[in-house]
């Protein structure tokens, strides 16, 4: 077959010993290098998307520094001065390249190279997780990177040409050429991923730095402090104010949009008398207010925790819309985020006097990036999907019969007023309670209408009034407690709220789709 002329390379030239194909050392070494490049490239890309600090290359460097004897470190700093980091990374690159070649060579007969690559991946994973700022997600970049590296290695090695006697080598050997094209392709993917990861990571770092410099406007009216008693002292009961760190997060963003306060602009246009475009500095010239508002997600199941309460500093949307001059026949404001999410909010909800805000502060701090830095909307009484656009950059004044927002196009209701809801926090699910006096507790919310009463029912007994914490405002949730002399046995506890308009929360069960779940939260537990 080798004697048959085959200029187009259609017939694959069989390996010298097809039963035991052994790629040449140079080709194998190349495979190892490209596979290692893929590990770093993919890891860098994922790290850029998740958290720049999760970069395995940087973490490994830091770990090396931490474990370098002091004398060596001082020597390095003396020798290389500010270039010490560059020298460190260059030395790491050399060590990695050598190891990569070894990986490639080992992979020739059996997947020993892959095994070694996985072992390196796990070692680096341990190093990454050992960093002081590490969270478990820091493991993801290196693990996915190592997986990509193994796939690359196996793919390339299987296609690597075996060595030929020198006289047989010709520059245009098709299998050799194909292999080189694959190697080059993989190298481009690896380098491209690394560059993209770096770029995204740098942008995120720029936003973090910008956030740290961000000076909150001083509100002309600060939110009143919660009255004493808003937080009944019951262990396990949700706090009245939700800390930013534990505030629920819901969005469609695979990666958080990176918007600095300098780059940020808000355009108000559409059915208005004057189009407006605001920079952050221009926004700052307007009076800011601070309001306590409980935010809720339409996807929250009965008893769920996609709800949180915060002090928001922001600019009344009614004022901004008045500056633009909303035409009388407009009934919707379509807000758009930097990453293209949209929400459709009734103009009425933004101008009827409720505290609808373009918020820049959350609990006394700039908005955390995952909660919309540098600016978002917060509208009391409406589910987040129709009102709470984070990273907001555009407000188009329009009409419900002309525009559809992100979730409405996907089958959710165009309008999303928050439904009355109540939740049992204590006892925890399947808790065991000792007989005798015990405290049952939870929260209830009906933003805009307020909570007038909460009642609980044990098994199928009578509904009994719970004690309500003082009301902060109709836009915030209310904590409730109920004292009970627990009697032994298995029990089911049920809760229902009555809103400020006297309407009792429905017992009719409904799914979150299309406009919010209903039904009564129940909890079963044992007293013994
Ligand atoms: N840009 C953007 N903003 C968004 C969303 C989104 O997917 N993208 N989700 C909305 C939904 S459904 C809710 S419930 C709230 C949640 O806000 P939080 O993550 O700050 O709690 O944000 C809203 N704003
Ligand atoms: Mo939501």
């Amino acid at each position: 077959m080798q004697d048959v002329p085959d200029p187009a390379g259609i017939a694959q030239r069989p390996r010298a010993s097809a039963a035991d194909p052994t790629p040449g050392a140079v080709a194998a070494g190349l495979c190892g290098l490209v596979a290692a490049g893929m590990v770093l490239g993919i890891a860098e890309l994922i790290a850029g998307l998740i958290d720049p600090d999760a970069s395995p290359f940087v973490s490994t460097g830091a770990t090396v520094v931490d474990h370098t004897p002091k004398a060596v470190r001082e020597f390095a700093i003396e020798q290389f001065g500010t270039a010490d980091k560059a020298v460190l990374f260059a030395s790491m690159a050399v060590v990695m390249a050598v190891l990569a070649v070894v990986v490639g060579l080992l992979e020739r007969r059996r997947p020993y190279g892959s095994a070694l690559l996985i072992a390196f991946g796990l070692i680096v994973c341990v190093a990454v997780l050992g960093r002081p700022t590490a969270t478990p997600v820091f493991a993801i970049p290196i693990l996915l990177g190592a997986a990509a590296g193994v796939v690359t290695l196996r793919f390339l090695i299987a296609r690597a040409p075996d060595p030929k006697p020198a006289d047989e080598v010709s520059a245009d050997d098709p299998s050799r050429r194909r292999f080189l094209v694959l190697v080059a392709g993989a190298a481009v993917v690896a380098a491209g991923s690394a560059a993209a990861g770096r770029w995204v990571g740098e942008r995120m770092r720029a936003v973090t730095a910008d956030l740290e410099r961000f000076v909150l406007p001083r509100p002309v009216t600060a939110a009143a402090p919660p009255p004493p008693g808003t937080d009944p002292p019951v262990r396990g009961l949700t706090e009245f104010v939700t800390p930013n760190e534990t505030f629920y997060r819901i969005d469609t963003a695979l990666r958080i949009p990176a918007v600095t306060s300098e780059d940020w602009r808000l355009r108000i246009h559409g059915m208005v008398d004057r189009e407006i475009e605001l920079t952050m500095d221009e926004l700052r010239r307007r009076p800011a207010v601070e309001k306590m508002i409980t935010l809720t997600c339409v996807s929250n199941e009965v008893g769920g925790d996609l709800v949180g309460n915060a002090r928001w500093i922001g600019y009344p949307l009614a004022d901004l819309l008045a500056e633009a001059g909303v035409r009388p026949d407009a009934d919707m404001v379509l807000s758009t985020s930097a990453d293209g999410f949209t929400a459709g909010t009734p103009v009425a909800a933004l101008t009827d006097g409720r505290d609808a805000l373009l918020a820049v502060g959350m609990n006394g701090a700039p908005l955390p990036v995952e909660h919309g830095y540098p600016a978002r909307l917060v509208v009391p009484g409406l589910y987040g999907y129709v009102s709470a656009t984070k990273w907001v950059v555009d407000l188009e004044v329009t009409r419900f019969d002309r525009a559809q927002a992100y979730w409405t196009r996907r089958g959710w209701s165009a309008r999303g007023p928050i439904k009355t809801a109540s939740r049992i926090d204590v006892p925890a699910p399947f808790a065991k309670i000792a007989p005798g006096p015990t405290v049952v507790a939870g929260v209830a919310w009906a933003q805009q209408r307020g909570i007038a009463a909460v009642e609980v029912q044990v098994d199928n007994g009578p509904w009994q009034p719970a004690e309500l914490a003082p009301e902060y405002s109709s836009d915030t949730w209310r904590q409730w407690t109920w004292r009970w002399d627990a009697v032994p046995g298995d029990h089911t506890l049920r809760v229902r709220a009555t809103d400020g308009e006297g309407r009792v929360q429905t017992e009719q069960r409904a799914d979150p789709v299309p406009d919010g779940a209903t039904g009564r939260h129940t909890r079963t537990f044992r007293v013994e």
Side-chain angles (χ1 to χ4, degrees):
M1 189 179 167
Q2 258 150 327
D3 304 328
V4 179
D6 180 26
I10 291 161
Q12 185 105 40
R13 195 185 63 86
R15 287 224 157 105
S17 51
D20 183 18
T22 308
V26 175
L30 205 53
C31 293
L33 279 173
V34 173
M38 194 65 85
V39 176
L40 291 177
I42 296 297
E44 210 56 50
L45 177 64
I46 311 281
L49 297 177
I50 298 178
D51 185 333
D53 288 338
S55 157
F57 196 67
V58 173
S59 297
T60 307
T63 306
V64 169
V65 170
D66 289 355
H67 291 84
T68 305
K70 197 162 164 256
V72 178
R73 226 183 310 168
E74 276 164 7
F75 169 81
I77 293 173
E78 235 166 69
Q79 286 297 303
F80 309 116
T82 51
D84 60 339
K85 285 197 188 63
V87 170
L88 167 73
F89 285 133
S91 333
M92 276 171 55
V94 170
V95 172
M96 283 183 194
V98 171
L99 294 175
V101 169
V102 171
V103 161
L105 292 176
L106 283 178
E107 187 75 7
R108 283 189 293 171
R109 281 163 193 280
R110 306 229 178 293
Y112 293 144
S114 297
L116 190 59
L117 204 53
I118 291 169
F120 285 143
L122 292 178
I123 291 170
V124 171
C125 186
V126 169
V128 171
L129 290 177
R131 300 310 307 157
T133 60
T135 62
V137 297
F138 276 33
I140 298 172
I142 180 61
L143 294 182
L144 289 183
V150 168
V151 170
T152 306
L153 181 63
R154 308 226 49 181
F155 177 86
L156 289 178
I157 281 283
R159 286 153 184 83
D162 38 311
K164 287 194 261 180
D167 59 311
E168 248 190 71
V169 175
S170 73
D172 50 61
D173 176 337
S175 74
R176 189 157 298 233
R177 218 172 342 143
R178 222 167 341 194
F179 171 69
L180 287 177
V181 166
L182 290 175
V183 165
V188 166
V189 170
S193 305
R198 278 274 133 152
W199 183 77
V200 171
E202 284 313 312
R203 289 207 38 182
M204 217 52 239
R205 275 185 208 281
V207 171
T208 312
D210 184 65
L211 189 153
E212 272 157 20
R213 286 192 303 266
F214 189 88
V215 181
L216 272 183
R218 185 201 291 274
V220 289
T221 54
T230 24
D231 272 313
V234 181
R235 183 202 281 270
L237 172 60
T238 303
E239 291 167 273
F240 178 68
V241 176
T242 315
N244 291 357
E245 296 70 39
T246 51
F247 205 95
Y248 82 96
R249 174 188 166 196
I250 293 285
D251 52 63
T252 59
L254 286 182
R255 95 180 167 77
I256 298 175
V259 187
T260 64
S261 61
E262 264 159 47
D263 293 343
W264 182 85
R265 299 282 183 284
L266 179 71
R267 196 171 152 231
I268 306 177
H269 62 112
M271 300 168 70
V272 294
D273 299 330
R274 292 161 296 277
E275 210 177 295
I276 302 183
E277 193 176 78
L278 290 172
T279 64
M280 192 55 79
D281 283 339
E282 286 160 352
L283 186 63
R284 280 177 185 287
R285 296 195 199 116
R286 290 154 177 80
V289 296
E290 186 182 44
K291 301 289 175 181
M292 190 82 78
I293 298 164
T294 301
L295 211 66
T296 310
C297 182
V298 69
S299 299
N300 196 43
E301 302 277 357
V302 170
D305 57 5
L306 300 181
V307 50
N309 183 43
R311 265 188 302 127
W312 308 92
I313 292 180
Y315 301 86
L317 282 161
D319 295 352
L320 296 173
L321 290 173
E323 280 186 44
V326 174
R327 300 262 175 79
D329 50 338
D331 63 1
M332 179 223 252
V333 171
L334 185 74
S335 51
T336 306
S337 71
D339 63 341
F341 168 87
T342 53
T345 313
V347 167
L350 303 176
T351 54
D352 65 3
R354 74 180 79 181
D355 299 321
L357 300 179
L358 171 64
V360 296
M362 182 176 183
N363 289 327
L367 290 176
V369 280
E370 63 273 24
H371 292 294
Y373 184 81
R376 72 171 304 166
L377 304 187
V378 176
V379 183
L382 300 182
Y383 287 122
Y385 83 108
V386 290
S387 67
T389 304
K390 304 189 273 188
W391 316 287
V392 66
V393 293
D394 190 284
L395 301 180
E396 185 191 357
V397 179
T398 177
R399 295 180 51 86
F400 276 96
D401 58 15
R402 284 188 201 163
Q404 268 201 332
Y406 185 90
W407 286 114
T408 308
R409 266 183 259 130
R410 289 160 177 80
W412 295 74
S413 171
R415 314 222 176 204
I418 296 176
K419 297 175 178 176
T420 303
S422 51
R423 184 178 80 197
I424 302 164
D425 288 343
V426 183
F430 306 108
K432 281 202 174 57
I433 295 175
T438 188
V439 180
V440 170
V443 285
W445 60 89
Q447 291 92 315
Q448 284 284 286
R449 300 178 301 283
I451 291 293
V454 169
E455 296 161 287
V456 292
Q457 181 191 46
V458 178
D459 303 323
N460 283 310
W463 286 98
Q464 313 197 42
E467 194 179 323
L468 284 172
E471 173 165 82
Y472 184 94
S473 85
S474 64
D475 290 334
T476 54
W477 57 12
R478 256 178 117 169
Q479 272 60 4
W480 57 266
T481 54
W482 183 62
R483 272 155 226 291
W484 182 45
D485 207 5
V487 289
D490 287 326
H491 297 292
T492 299
L493 195 75
R494 231 173 243 107
V495 63
R496 71 179 185 193
T498 301
D499 72 12
E501 293 168 357
R503 269 191 293 270
V504 179
Q505 180 189 340
T506 179
E507 65 180 319
Q508 197 83 44
R509 284 164 168 274
D511 279 340
V513 191
D515 60 1
T518 59
R520 288 176 186 161
H521 191 210
T522 64
R523 186 145 280 178
T524 51
F525 54 92
R526 174 166 292 179
V527 176
E528 64 178 14

